[in-house]
Amino acid sequence: MSDNPAGLVEDSSVYRTLLESTRAIPWKINWRTMQFEYIGPQIEALLGWPQDSWLTVDDWATRMHPEDRERVVNFCVSQSEAGVDHEADYRALTEGGEYVWLRDVVHVLRDDNGDVEALIGFMFDISERKKTEDELVALQKKLEEYSYKDGLTGVANRRMFDTVMNENWNHAIRHQSSLSVILLDIDNFKAYNDLNGHLQGDECLKRIATLLENAAQRPRDFVARFGGEEFVIVLPETDASAAISVAERCRQLLLEEQIPQGDSPNSKKVTISMGIGTVVPSRDDCIADFLDLVDQRLYKAKRDGRNRIVFD
């Protein structure tokens, strides 16, 4: 091995050539001056900013997406001050005004006294990776939506109802607030299907699901398909009189919808029966018992002639 200084220079040029031939962008920052001592020429091809325009850490920070800047800068500074190697993902501004996702992999250099002397690292273009990650997140979200949504009507399904009901029940216990539930059933729906066909029956379910959502107007009001031709409306922080008003609004919207029960426009119109329950639950109360009470009221409405509301 040669101890010729020229050999060291030659080695240094080889290392630089290797660094600058990779897609990763090498850089070095002097911690004391907060100035770039080096950044690879690949930065210009990626972001458009000239290599010699990267002078200080301010150039790095100001060329970062405003939504990422505070989080990333604070994280990198705190990790660097602690002497901890780290990574950070953020969106970098191109000279053309667009953004590219970068990952900075940072190594902290210390002097003989243990003080931070410099930061060296690599920038990686991770735009394609981020795009794939975002697509996977969107797909996962969509799959979760499907798992909690009724495939026919588009409202929540029974599984989602169970989750929301539990959450609202516990909230009502903590805050000692009223919780109301409306359980409703489409009258004579089997006969409707037999006469009009299942495709028309599906359309009827969709129309009723939509009008129920229109009747339950507050942000926390919740509509789900309970099963078959049954639907449920959960009304947090709602007393009995307010719940009855929502139920009456459901009947009025259905009346305006004028869905024929038979195959003639002049036939009787589709109607619904409803049972309503209101409770200020305690920890000794049981959701299943409460829902069973509401269910009994629904079937009382049906036994008493249908197209009616039972709330006590």
Side-chain angles (χ1 to χ4, degrees):
M1 182 175 178
S2 172
D3 57 356
N4 188 332
L8 294 177
V9 173
E10 183 178 342
D11 287 344
S12 177
S13 65
V14 169
Y15 294 145
R16 171 169 259 177
T17 300
L18 288 171
L19 286 173
E20 294 181 358
S21 65
T22 67
R23 297 185 66 180
I25 303 166
W27 55 266
K28 180 179 180 181
I29 290 175
N30 184 308
W31 182 251
R32 295 183 179 88
T33 65
M34 292 295 173
Q35 293 182 328
F36 277 94
E37 293 188 344
Y38 176 76
I39 191 167
Q42 305 99 312
I43 193 70
E44 188 165 350
L46 179 60
L47 298 182
W49 304 104
Q51 184 182 12
D52 59 8
S53 71
W54 296 82
L55 302 177
T56 72
V57 292
D58 287 339
D59 298 309
W60 167 72
T62 57
R63 292 168 181 173
M64 194 181 298
H65 195 290
E67 293 178 3
D68 301 336
R69 187 177 300 136
E70 183 176 2
R71 168 182 60 83
V72 172
V73 171
N74 289 345
F75 172 73
C76 290
V77 168
S78 65
Q79 295 298 101
S80 299
E81 287 176 339
V84 178
D85 294 348
H86 54 280
E87 298 179 3
D89 294 351
Y90 56 89
R91 289 162 288 181
L93 179 67
T94 69
E95 192 177 35
E98 299 177 345
Y99 285 95
V100 173
W101 272 102
L102 295 184
R103 171 167 294 167
D104 253 329
V105 179
V106 184
H107 175 64
V108 181
L109 291 180
R110 294 174 176 272
D111 59 22
D112 294 338
N113 296 321
D115 297 324
V116 178
E117 182 177 51
L119 308 177
I120 60 172
F122 287 91
M123 292 179 182
F124 296 88
D125 179 2
I126 60 169
S127 298
E128 285 302 315
R129 183 188 306 177
K130 275 291 183 181
K131 181 181 177 183
T132 301
E133 289 176 357
D134 290 344
E135 289 172 350
L136 288 173
V137 169
L139 177 60
Q140 180 65 30
K141 184 177 180 182
K142 185 62 67 177
L143 290 173
E144 288 176 358
E145 287 178 358
Y146 287 153
S147 70
Y148 286 110
K149 186 177 289 188
D150 178 58
L152 175 63
T153 63
V155 298
N157 61 16
R158 179 63 181 270
R159 179 183 178 190
M160 187 61 175
F161 163 74
D162 290 339
T163 300
V164 170
M165 186 66 194
N166 273 297
E167 290 175 352
N168 281 295
W169 185 267
N170 291 329
H171 180 274
I173 290 174
R174 289 194 304 271
H175 297 275
Q176 279 299 281
S177 58
S178 297
L179 175 63
S180 292
V181 168
I182 303 172
L183 188 59
L184 62 97
D185 183 89
I186 303 173
D187 296 327
N188 302 306
F189 191 69
K190 183 180 183 303
Y192 182 96
N193 266 339
D194 291 343
L195 184 61
N196 298 285
H198 288 283
L199 290 178
Q200 193 65 31
D202 288 349
E203 285 304 311
C204 178
L205 288 169
K206 292 177 186 177
R207 291 171 70 177
I208 289 178
T210 299
L211 70 86
L212 295 179
E213 288 192 309
N214 290 335
Q217 298 171 336
R218 299 177 308 169
R220 289 182 59 202
D221 292 347
F222 174 82
V223 177
R225 188 178 178 188
F226 200 66
E229 63 270 25
E230 288 187 345
F231 292 85
V232 62
I233 304 175
V234 181
L235 302 168
E237 299 179 0
T238 304
D239 61 20
S241 62
I244 293 169
S245 295
V246 173
E248 292 289 0
R249 189 156 60 241
C250 292
R251 291 184 65 193
Q252 181 60 36
L253 290 173
L254 181 56
L255 178 64
E256 294 170 3
E257 196 75 7
Q258 290 286 292
I259 304 173
Q261 179 71 33
D263 55 4
S264 166
N266 297 320
S267 68
K268 292 182 179 179
K269 307 308 177 187
V270 170
T271 60
I272 53 178
S273 298
M274 288 176 273
I276 301 176
T278 300
V279 64
V280 179
S282 70
R283 298 197 181 277
D284 295 328
D285 293 320
C286 173
I287 293 180
D289 291 342
F290 172 65
L291 293 178
D292 184 62
L293 172 65
V294 180
D295 190 53
Q296 290 175 29
R297 291 175 179 174
L298 167 62
Y299 279 93
K300 184 177 188 305
K302 298 183 77 68
R303 287 195 307 271
D304 291 349
R306 299 185 175 88
N307 190 24
R308 63 193 63 223
I309 300 168
V310 173
F311 51 87
D312 57 18

